[in-house]
């Protein structure tokens, strides 16, 4: 498998005794002492684990192995009842639009001008987009403007010439009838490219940083980070109050259904073959 990094989410528990000494110097190890209980707060490890995985993927030849118990430890320490690492996507079904809207309403994030919602991904508003000092302090290298155009946040690439920032503008309108989905993949690829750039940091914004730009960040997490829409909403919403309009949320729901079907396809093929 050529594994170079191991993230063990059961470090130090009865089911896993692996650690740095177990793997030696050839594998970069990160252990999280987590328990599979509903009352356990695993969210405290979200950012550090994400940073570790991101670092692994940006290492030349890097390949991650992420599981509740790492593969080599699993061979020595079988869990009760022969449970294997879960396939979290297997039983997932895209919720109804009304359920997704209720999920958006339960906010736990901030209302700052700019917030980091994913490692090196910042989501914010027009004030932050025009504040070059703030952008410099965050070491932003890429900007995605989801409210580009003469009648909106008309900064453009020239505005950032002195900052050496790569700019991508989308002239979108915060209207439920506007088809934002035609930009989902281009925006996701731009963000992904930014993160794969050395020291890349991307700022995604619109006017308020809650609907247009938030929808594009959600699409990125779904397309590039293999998240479900529910996971993406929870991830971004835990750091910033967002509220995609009903049309955008419906378009993201369609994307979620499409991606979920694509994920099921290979799994069903493997099941039939076995």
């Amino acid at each position: 498998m050529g594994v170079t990094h191991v993230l063990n989410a059961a470090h130090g528990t009865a089911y896993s005794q692996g650690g740095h000494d177990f793997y030696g110097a050839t594998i970069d190890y990160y252990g999280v002492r987590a328990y599979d209980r509903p009352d356990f707060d695993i969210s405290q490890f979200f950012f550090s684990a994400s940073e570790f995985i991101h670092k692994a993927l940006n290492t030349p030849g890097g390949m991650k192995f992420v599981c509740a118990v790492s593969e080599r430890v699993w061979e020595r320490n079988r869990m009760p009842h022969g449970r294997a690492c879960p396939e979290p996507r297997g039983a997932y079904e895209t919720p109804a639009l009304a359920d997704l809207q209720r999920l958006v309403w339960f906010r736990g994030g901030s209302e700052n001008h700019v917030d980091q919602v994913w490692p090196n991904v910042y989501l914010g508003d027009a004030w932050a987009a025009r504040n070059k000092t703030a952008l410099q302090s965050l070491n932003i290298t890429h900007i995605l403007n989801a409210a580009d155009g003469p009648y909106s946040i008309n900064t453009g690439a020239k505005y950032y010439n002195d900052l050496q920032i790569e700019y991508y503008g989308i002239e979108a309108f915060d209207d439920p009838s506007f088809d934002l989905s035609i930009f989902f993949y281009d925006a996701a690829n731009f963000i992904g490219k930014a993160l794969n750039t050395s020291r890349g940091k991307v700022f995604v914004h619109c006017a308020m940083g809650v609907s247009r730009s938030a929808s594009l960040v959600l699409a990125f997490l779904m397309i590039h980070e293999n998240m479900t829409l529910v996971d993406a909403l929870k991830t971004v919403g835990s750091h910033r109050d967002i509220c995609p309009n009903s049309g955008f949320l419906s378009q993201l729901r369609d994307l979620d259904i499409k991606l979920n079907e694509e994920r099921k396809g290979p799994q069903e093929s493997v099941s039939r073959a076995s």
Side-chain angles (χ1 to χ4, degrees), residues 105-140:
W105 294 337
F106 289 100
R107 303 178 183 180
S110 80
E111 296 180 352
N112 298 324
H113 289 296
V114 58
D115 295 287
Q116 184 174 206
V117 297
W118 184 253
N120 297 324
V121 177
Y122 295 81
L123 180 59
D125 59 19
W127 179 91
R130 295 190 176 105
N131 191 322
K132 294 183 179 181
T133 301
L135 296 173
Q136 283 181 307
S137 69
L138 294 172
N139 297 313
I140 298 298

Side-chain angles (χ1 to χ4, degrees), residues 88-89 92 218 221-222 226-233 256 260 263:
R89 299 286 186 257
Y92 175 81
L218 293 169
L221 292 175
M222 295 163 66
N226 199 34
M227 285 192 190
T228 65
L229 176 53
V230 170
D231 288 340
L233 284 167
D256 194 45
N260 196 35
R263 284 190 291 262

Side-chain angles (χ1 to χ4, degrees), residues 119-234:
N120 297 324
V121 177
Y122 295 81
L123 180 59
D125 59 19
W127 179 91
R130 295 190 176 105
N131 191 322
K132 294 183 179 181
T133 301
L135 296 173
Q136 283 181 307
S137 69
L138 294 172
N139 297 313
I140 298 298
T141 60
H142 294 68
I143 287 180
L144 195 169
N145 178 2
D148 196 22
Y151 303 107
S152 197
I153 318 302
N154 192 23
T155 48
K158 290 183 179 180
Y159 184 81
Y160 303 106
N161 277 348
D162 55 326
L163 300 184
Q164 295 183 326
I165 283 177
E166 187 170 338
Y167 178 88
Y168 175 41
I170 293 175
E171 192 169 350
F173 299 95
D174 191 16
D175 186 312
S177 64
F178 183 85
D179 185 7
L180 188 66
S181 68
I182 61 176
F183 300 108
F184 283 169
Y185 278 87
D186 286 345
N189 290 337
F190 178 82
I191 297 172
K193 175 186 173 184
L195 297 183
N196 285 323
T197 302
S198 177
R199 298 182 181 179
K201 292 187 176 183
V202 58
F203 173 54
V204 186
H205 77 89
C206 50
M208 301 295 292
V210 298
S211 183
R212 286 168 286 188
S213 55
S215 297
L216 295 179
V217 171
L218 293 169
F220 158 74
L221 292 175
M222 295 163 66
I223 294 168
H224 277 258
E225 300 297 336
N226 199 34
M227 285 192 190
T228 65
L229 176 53
V230 170
D231 288 340
L233 284 167
K234 290 180 178 179

